[in-house]
Every structure is written in C-alpha cells, then in structure tokens.
Amino acid sequence: MLNLSVILLSVLLQIAAAMVALRVQRSARWPFAWILVSISLVLMAARGLYVLVAFLERDLPEHLMPNEVLGLVISALIFTGVLLIKGIFQSKEAQAARMEEAHSGARAEADKLAAVMAAAPLPIWIAEDPACRTIHGNASGAALLRMSERSNHSMSAPVEKRPSHFKLVQGGMELPAEGMPMQRAAMAGEEVRDQPMDLVFQDGETRHVMAYATPLRDRGGLIHGAVCCFVDVTEIRGAEEALAKAQKMESLGMMAGGLAHDFNNIFQSMLGNLELAEASVPEDSRGQVYLQRLKAGLERASRLSRDILHCSGGDLRRPEPMELTPLIAEALDRTGVPVVRDLAPDLPRIMVDPILIGRVVEGLAANAQEANSPQGVIRARTYARRLTQADLGTGHWPDPVAPGTYAVLEISDQGHGIDAAVLPKIFDPFFSTRNIGRGLGLAVALGIARGHRGGIQVESLPGVGSVFRVYLPS
C-alpha cells in the first residue's frame, strides 16, 4: 500500500507541475520552452502511471521502491520550483502592468499638458532640465519669439544653438541668462511674478512683457525644470500712453482756449481804445509813431493768442465743402517756399476752414524749410486714401476718428530728421529744438487738424528726412 501511495503521489505532483508550467507559458517570454517542460512532465507522469498499473497487476521488486521514492522527491522539487517560478512571473507581470498603467497615466498627463499649451493664448515655455539648456514653447511663445515650436528657445543653451535675434532688457540693461525668469525659477527655486521686461529684436521692434515663472518639482521636492509665461502688454502700454497724451492735450487745450478767449477780450478792448487815441492825436504828432508801434505789438499778441486757441482745436469759424488741392496750391504760393509739387486733382470734397488750412500749410512748409539740408528737396503731395482701424493706430489723432476716405496733404523734406526720443514731443505746445521760435507751429497744425476731426502722421529717420501727413475726412 505504501508503494502505491508513493507512485500515485509522484504522478499527481508531475501532472500538477505540468499544469502550472502550461499556465506560466501564457505570460513567459519564451512560451515554447515552457511547453517543452510541460510535455516532459506529462511524459514523466505517464511513466509513473505505467509503473502504477504494473504494480497493480503484479508486485514490483523491492529494490525498485527507493527509485520511486527518489522520483517522488524529484517530482516534489519540480512542482515546488514551478510554483516559485510562477510567483516570480506573476510578480513581474503585475509590475509590468503597474508600469504600463504609470506610462499610460504619464502619457495622459503629457497629452493634457500639450493640449493646454496648444490652446493657451499666452506664450508659455517649459524647461526640461534644471539648467534650462532645453526650453520649448507653445505656438504663442514661438510666434512671440519669431521661432518654430520645435526649436530650442533657451538662452542657456550652448552658444551655437541659442537664439541670437532678440534679447531681454530690464531697466535699460540686457539680462544675462541666469537672471531670466525661467532660469531663476529652475536654478534658484524662485517664484517670479509681475516682472516687467522688454523683448528687443534685432530689427528694432520692442515688445513690452510681464514675466511669470515657477519651478517644477518631483515628489521628493527636487527641482527638475520650470514653467514660464509672458503677458504681452505692448498694446496696453500704448493705450495708456495714448490716454495720458490725450488727457494732457485736453488739459492743455482747455487751458489754452480759456486763456486765448480772455486775452482776445482784453486785446479787443485795448485795440478799441488805441483807435480812439489815434483819432484824438494829430496825424503829424510824434505820438502817432508810438501808437502805431503799440498797434503792431497788439496785432502780434492777438495772433499769438489765436495760435494758442488753434492748439486747442478751436476757432473753426467758416467750414465750407471744398477740394483740398486748390487750397494747398494757393497756400504754397503765399509761403514762397520752393516746393516740388505733386497735387492730385478731383479729390473728394472736405469740410474745411480755408484760412486755417492755409495756416497748416504755412506751418509745415516753414518747418520743412528750416529742417531741410542745403541740397535737400521739399515735396508737397495731395491724394486720397482710405484708412482702416489699423492705420488709425499710428500717428496723432487727438479725437476718436472713424475709418473711411480721407484727403491727405503730405509734405516731406530731406533734412537732418528727428530723433526717436524727440519725436513724441514735437506737437507739444511751446516745445522746440531751435533757439528761436515759439514752438507753436506743429502744435497749431495738430490743433487745426483736430478741429477738422482729422489727424497727422509723422515718419522721420535721422540723417534722411521727415514726412508729415495731414488727414482730413471727406
């Protein structure tokens, strides 16, 4: 009976080991090898069954029983080994499943981040290493820097790979790579908020930005990169400057208008008394000479008062529907300034005060003559142009104006030009770069254009010359 139990248990262990081996081959890297192991175990079990049948038919010799006991031990060892290997494979399979789940989660997070980067209207960059040698941005960031999305946007990259067509400036000084917001966040762990900077390109364009940056940390708290975004505030700065300028011009205009009206009332009273004094003094009296000098001084003062009034955009007395070209030709004739003329006929009619438009022509022509070089040429053009909202974003438009068709007077010179630092101030009342003059010529021209609901654009290059364009709505 003991012999029968030994053989039967050995057969069962071999069959069980074969079944376990078959299960292992499903997840093993070499399933064919495990199939061979299973077949070998099945054959061993078949041999054991053969011995068992033989034992039942006739008793086996006693000297064979130790062999069967040894076979039982081997079967037990094989079964135990297969179970251990199965556990290892199951552990690796579970680990592989966890890794695949982690990879899937990472891919999902990466896809979410890519979707956020692509959809975000703000320029965003991500540093992929703490040294910020590799930085990539979204479409908005690439467009702001004038680069492709796939290129490396890092200023900390090797010299031959870093961008060179722009620089970041703060307080008039170029920022070194380690002082940039992304690098400060990644290298020093700083949280950068509301850092104003200027993005200056080689072609001279400047974009005003506010920078924000934060470090990226792993679960252990170690920094492995950073995220940075820029807010382009160029248009906001321009709107703020335009609003401040409009408010300044409005304040100056109100003050100038009030002063001019008060002075005019005083001058009219003085002029009336002066004329009465002239009538009461004999014509051959020496007092007439002094009265004439006083009268000339009052007329100059009255003209200055009117100029101040024109700076405020007032005194539009007699607007009439007229063509611009005949007015310009007549005004140029009065100035006596040598001008090359290109005056277009049949321009759309405009509502103008002809006397005031003449003052504009006289002021611009005199300004061009004073600024022109000895060999330079002064040119005067008239033409019609349809302005869009984008065109109205540049130039001097003291009042809100609507897009549409405008008659244009253009006067250009080939003089020394106007420096960029001076250009924004040229229309300020009493501002002048010359030792002589009141500094009211351009201020008067802009005030008159304002009174006609028009505007003036200026282009100037130092050493090349200037172009003034006066726009009057049809």
Side-chain angles (χ1 to χ4, degrees):
M1 189 65 182
L2 179 61
N3 295 334
L4 177 63
S5 299
V6 169
I7 296 173
L8 182 60
L9 184 57
S10 177
V11 169
L12 291 176
L13 287 174
Q14 291 166 1
I15 293 174
M19 294 177 63
V20 172
L22 284 175
R23 294 189 62 182
V24 170
Q25 65 88 21
R26 297 176 184 175
S27 58
R29 292 183 61 185
W30 301 284
F32 183 70
W34 286 97
I35 291 175
L36 292 180
V37 171
S38 301
I39 293 173
S40 300
L41 291 171
V42 170
L43 292 176
M44 290 176 64
R47 174 191 170 282
L49 289 174
Y50 174 76
V51 172
L52 181 63
V53 171
F55 177 79
L56 293 174
E57 291 179 351
R58 59 186 184 280
D59 291 336
L60 293 176
E62 290 295 332
H63 67 275
L64 292 179
M65 288 312 299
N67 293 334
E68 295 303 325
V69 173
L70 181 61
L72 175 61
V73 173
I74 294 173
S75 298
L77 292 175
I78 291 174
F79 178 71
T80 303
V82 171
L83 285 179
L84 292 174
I85 293 174
K86 178 186 176 184
I88 293 173
F89 273 101
Q90 286 179 338
S91 176
K92 288 188 174 294
E93 185 176 358
Q95 183 179 3
R98 289 194 297 270
M99 290 182 63
E100 179 61 29
E101 184 179 357
H103 289 162
S104 298
R107 284 194 296 270
E109 292 298 324
D111 291 341
K112 290 180 183 178
L113 179 59
V116 170
M117 293 275 287
L122 293 178
I124 301 176
W125 294 270
I126 293 181
E128 301 178 4
D129 60 282
C132 297
R133 293 189 180 91
T134 303
I135 297 176
H136 290 103
N138 62 354
S140 299
L144 179 64
L145 299 184
R146 303 180 185 178
M147 301 177 68
S148 66
E149 291 186 61
R150 297 183 179 181
S151 59
N152 188 0
H153 298 178
S154 175
M155 299 296 284
S156 298
V159 177
E160 65 276 5
K161 295 182 179 180
R162 71 180 58 169
S164 59
H165 63 286
F166 69 86
K167 59 184 178 181
L168 288 174
V169 177
Q170 187 176 31
M173 302 292 292
E174 181 178 356
L175 282 176
E178 60 272 12
M180 295 179 181
M182 178 78 85
Q183 284 77 351
R184 286 169 53 193
M187 298 178 183
E190 294 185 41
E191 292 280 348
V192 180
R193 293 288 182 271
D194 298 317
Q195 180 179 352
M197 297 186 304
D198 292 332
L199 183 63
V200 182
F201 293 92
Q202 283 185 339
D203 60 6
E205 181 185 0
T206 299
R207 307 295 297 180
H208 305 294
V209 299
M210 299 293 289
Y212 302 80
T214 186
L216 294 175
R217 302 178 186 271
D218 58 21
R219 293 183 178 178
L222 296 177
I223 297 175
H224 61 85
V227 176
C228 178
C229 79
F230 284 174
V231 178
D232 190 346
V233 295
T234 305
E235 284 73 18
I236 297 176
R237 292 273 185 87
E240 290 174 348
E241 292 174 0
L243 178 59
K245 187 171 183 179
Q247 291 173 340
K248 180 182 72 173
M249 293 298 294
E250 182 179 3
S251 299
L252 288 173
M254 291 178 63
M255 182 184 70
L259 287 174
H261 280 296
D262 289 342
F263 277 124
N264 278 336
N265 293 334
I266 296 172
F267 293 151
Q268 291 299 323
S269 175
M270 294 174 65
L271 186 60
N273 284 281
L274 180 61
E275 290 176 350
L276 290 175
E278 284 181 333
S280 63
V281 175
E283 293 184 2
D284 57 350
S285 173
R286 185 169 179 80
Q288 286 286 353
V289 177
Y290 301 129
L291 291 175
Q292 289 296 328
R293 292 176 183 175
L294 181 58
K295 187 175 182 180
L298 279 175
E299 289 177 352
R300 289 195 301 270
S302 180
R303 181 179 178 87
L304 176 59
S305 177
R306 287 195 299 273
D307 284 346
I308 295 175
L309 185 60
H310 295 328
C311 291
S312 67
D315 201 29
L316 186 63
R317 298 177 180 176
R318 298 182 302 277
E320 303 173 20
M322 304 181 70
E323 289 188 12
L324 181 63
T325 294
L327 290 176
I328 302 305
E330 183 180 348
L332 289 174
D333 291 338
R334 288 198 304 268
T335 64
V337 177
V339 176
V340 176
R341 305 184 186 187
D342 181 12
L343 307 180
D346 301 326
L347 294 181
R349 286 176 170 266
I350 52 178
M351 290 293 294
V352 293
D353 183 328
I355 296 177
L356 296 185
I357 293 300
R359 293 292 308 279
V360 172
V361 176
E362 293 169 6
L364 293 181
N367 186 75
Q369 187 177 32
E370 293 174 0
N372 205 29
S373 62
Q375 295 79 26
V377 176
I378 300 175
R379 299 180 183 276
R381 295 178 57 206
T382 58
Y383 53 92
R385 181 181 174 187
R386 184 167 185 81
L387 294 186
T388 64
Q389 196 65 45
D391 297 320
L392 299 174
T394 59
H396 300 264
W397 308 90
D399 288 333
V401 292
T405 302
Y406 285 72
V408 185
L409 163 64
E410 179 180 292
I411 294 183
S412 61
D413 63 69
Q414 296 176 337
H416 50 72
I418 305 171
D419 292 335
V422 175
L423 194 58
K425 304 177 183 179
I426 61 175
F427 290 101
D428 291 351
F430 301 105
F431 175 82
S432 178
T433 58
R434 298 184 295 271
N435 294 327
I436 59 174
R438 300 188 305 269
L440 283 177
L442 293 180
V444 168
L446 182 59
I448 293 173
R450 175 183 181 179
H452 288 81
R453 303 199 61 77
I456 299 180
Q457 289 181 341
V458 184
E459 294 180 5
S460 186
L461 289 175
V464 177
S466 304
V467 180
F468 287 78
R469 299 185 184 92
V470 181
Y471 292 85
L472 301 170
S474 64

